[in-house]
Amino acid sequence: MEQLLSGLRAAGEPTRLRLMALLARSELTVTELTQILRQSQPRVSRHLKLLCEAGLLERFREGSWVFYRLASSGPVADLAEQLVSLIPSEDLVIARDLERLEAVRASRAEKAAEYFRANAEEWNRIRSLYVPEDKVEAALLDLSGHEDMDVVLDLGTGTGRLLELFGPRAKTGYGIDLSPEMLGFARAHLAQPELEHCSVRQGDLYDLPVQDDTVDLVTLHMVLHYLDEPGAAIAEAARVMKPGGRLLIADFAPHDLDFLREKHQHRRLGFTEEEVADWLKEAGLSLREVRRLPPETDNKKDDDAKLTVLIWVADKAETPDAKGTGARQARQLEGAK
């Protein structure tokens, strides 16, 4: 009862309701909120502090930036969602705020587009070496096994494309990435009404900011080859999976394209089926299938090296004995570092 009353007291002020209406639609910094609300930073920060203390908002840091978003979990998260649903979007003040929010999003999108343009040539060169991405995505959708899910987690989310792919089938979607530039791109990419329940966070794949046994589907799309310890990342993914949850890993089969290591920071030149299968087993997961997607051949370019994509599908057992195996393995790997 006290938490409910505290939440109602915190929300019962015009500026705070405006903040909740904005933060239900997008993750925003204090600077962005001051631009939208046309209020001073100290004033906005004070309102944000009160809303966070009441559990109506979430606060998270990425480097020197701090982002805010409507609470997605906790004892008063449902209250926050219900209060926002009662705020009339046609109200003149709210409507003006939402117009300014779109201007902030447009600015973000332009910055993200600049970053993408600067790197597009390199990304496109790599993509040209393997089966078209739409076929990889179709295979991932086919292998996901879940029609409707509570939580989807995309590790090394990059542009946020997999959240866009799986987000419509989940109540909540999260993406984790270390790169602030990629997170900025992902936020711009996910700024769609049908993906407002999806968000991204800066985080370490070896130490995820996610509770044990809470995620229905975890994805690692073209991520493992960048990592020093792929097995540790798989164990950490297993920790957060619900019993009965699924892990999808898409990465390259072994190859000898050294330029990917030299110019694109690939630490591993692909993986064998058995190598990843062993990591899955150590993490307490059951390998269900490995799907092989060979590159599309072009007779005019037979001398060009091509890459085969492998997709590993693994499940976490629903039996009580298996629950927590991934968490124990993750802690063991962490302690061995």
Side-chain angles (χ1 to χ4, degrees):
M1 180 66 75
E2 183 55 37
Q3 289 176 325
L4 177 61
L5 291 172
S6 176
L8 290 170
R9 285 193 293 266
E13 196 277 337
T15 297
R16 292 174 210 153
L17 283 176
R18 293 168 66 189
L19 285 167
M20 291 176 65
L22 290 165
L23 294 170
R25 292 170 169 83
S26 186
E27 298 171 343
L28 298 165
T29 65
V30 174
T31 300
E32 290 170 332
L33 288 167
T34 59
Q35 293 172 1
I36 295 170
L37 297 178
R38 301 293 197 265
Q39 295 185 14
S40 69
Q41 184 165 327
R43 178 179 173 83
V44 172
S45 294
R46 184 168 63 254
H47 286 307
L48 290 169
K49 183 175 183 292
L50 290 170
L51 290 168
C52 286
E53 289 176 347
L56 296 170
L57 298 183
E58 296 172 347
R59 176 185 186 276
F60 57 97
R61 180 177 293 277
E62 288 180 9
S64 60
W65 289 12
V66 175
F67 285 87
Y68 294 85
R69 186 179 176 90
L70 198 73
S72 59
S73 61
V76 292
D78 289 342
L79 172 63
E81 187 175 342
Q82 290 177 27
L83 289 172
V84 168
S85 70
L86 296 173
I87 300 173
S89 58
E90 66 273 12
D91 178 88
L92 292 179
V93 174
I94 297 297
R96 187 169 60 247
D97 287 347
L98 296 180
E99 288 178 2
R100 291 172 180 160
L101 171 61
E102 289 310 308
V104 166
R105 283 176 163 175
S107 175
R108 275 187 188 174
E110 178 54 32
K111 291 178 181 177
E114 289 176 6
Y115 175 75
F116 182 82
R117 285 193 292 268
N119 293 275
E121 185 176 348
E122 294 182 358
W123 293 340
N124 289 336
R125 184 184 178 190
I126 296 174
R127 286 175 178 168
S128 70
L129 296 173
Y130 62 90
V131 63
E133 194 63 37
D134 60 345
K135 294 191 176 182
V136 178
E137 292 176 357
L140 289 170
L141 282 171
D142 180 52
L143 294 167
S144 64
H146 297 279
E147 289 302 320
D148 296 302
M149 298 168 279
D150 290 326
V151 182
V152 169
L153 177 65
D154 183 32
L155 303 181
T157 195
T159 65
R161 172 56 186 161
L162 285 199
L163 287 179
E164 184 181 24
L165 194 67
F166 287 105
R169 295 165 56 180
K171 294 179 181 178
T172 303
Y174 295 108
I176 305 292
D177 206 293
L178 268 179
S179 167
E181 292 82 8
M182 293 309 300
L183 289 171
F185 190 97
R187 286 193 179 95
H189 192 67
L190 296 171
Q192 307 172 44
E194 63 272 21
L195 295 173
E196 287 180 351
H197 61 294
C198 295
S199 60
V200 294
R201 299 283 186 275
Q202 187 176 41
D204 185 345
L205 299 196
Y206 303 123
D207 186 19
L208 296 173
V210 183
Q211 294 180 352
D212 292 7
D213 307 322
T214 55
V215 180
D216 297 282
L217 176 68
V218 181
T219 55
L220 279 157
H221 178 241
M222 299 300 168
V223 172
L224 285 191
H225 57 252
Y226 288 109
L227 303 181
D228 287 322
E229 299 180 74
I234 289 173
E236 181 68 353
R239 174 184 68 80
V240 304
M241 292 165 60
K242 291 179 180 177
R246 176 158 292 184
L247 172 64
L248 295 178
I249 300 173
D251 220 298
F252 299 127
H255 61 85
D256 58 2
L257 302 186
D258 282 325
F259 83 90
L260 291 177
R261 177 180 287 149
E262 296 164 0
K263 296 184 178 180
H264 299 281
Q265 290 73 53
H266 288 207
R267 295 189 179 276
R268 296 290 304 273
L269 298 183
F271 304 91
T272 66
E273 294 184 25
E274 296 75 19
E275 187 175 21
V276 175
D278 286 344
W279 288 326
L280 293 168
K281 183 178 180 181
E282 290 171 3
L285 301 178
S286 299
L287 179 63
R288 184 181 183 90
E289 179 181 347
V290 181
R291 184 168 297 186
R292 196 174 190 89
L293 301 177
E296 296 185 345
T297 59
D298 184 338
N299 292 331
K300 296 179 181 179
K301 299 180 180 180
D302 285 340
D303 57 337
D304 286 353
K306 297 291 184 177
L307 299 172
T308 293
V309 174
L310 299 176
I311 301 177
W312 290 264
V313 187
D315 294 335
K316 188 170 184 176
E318 297 190 34
T319 60
D321 290 343
K323 188 174 181 179
T325 301
R328 290 193 295 273
Q329 181 69 20
R331 287 192 289 271
Q332 291 168 2
L333 287 168
E334 184 67 26
K337 293 180 185 178

